Amino acid sequence: MHGLDDPLVPPTCGEDTAQSIPNAEWMPVAGMGHDIPAPLHSTIIDAIERTARRGNAA
């Protein structure tokens, strides 16, 4: 997950990181910067849960 408006780390760096990790999911988030706004908490929790479930399946 990477904010497309992140002023500290360009989104291409997040995408490169995801491509470097087997089974990682690149999840760009429009309107998000370097912080995690409260309205996205459930989206982030869902993404963490999906990732954890993939790890258990392996």
Side-chain angles (χ1 to χ4, degrees):
M1 178 172 295
H2 198 103
L4 293 178
D5 296 332
D6 189 331
L8 299 176
V9 181
T12 54
C13 293
E15 185 174 15
D16 183 60
T17 299
Q19 290 174 356
S20 300
I21 300 170
N23 300 316
E25 176 185 347
W26 165 238
M27 188 176 172
V29 181
M32 187 171 93
H34 197 71
D35 63 336
I36 301 171
L40 291 177
H41 287 178
S42 63
T43 300
I44 292 165
I45 291 167
D46 290 345
I48 292 169
E49 182 179 10
R50 273 196 314 277
T51 302
R53 289 185 187 280
R54 276 198 315 267
N56 287 338

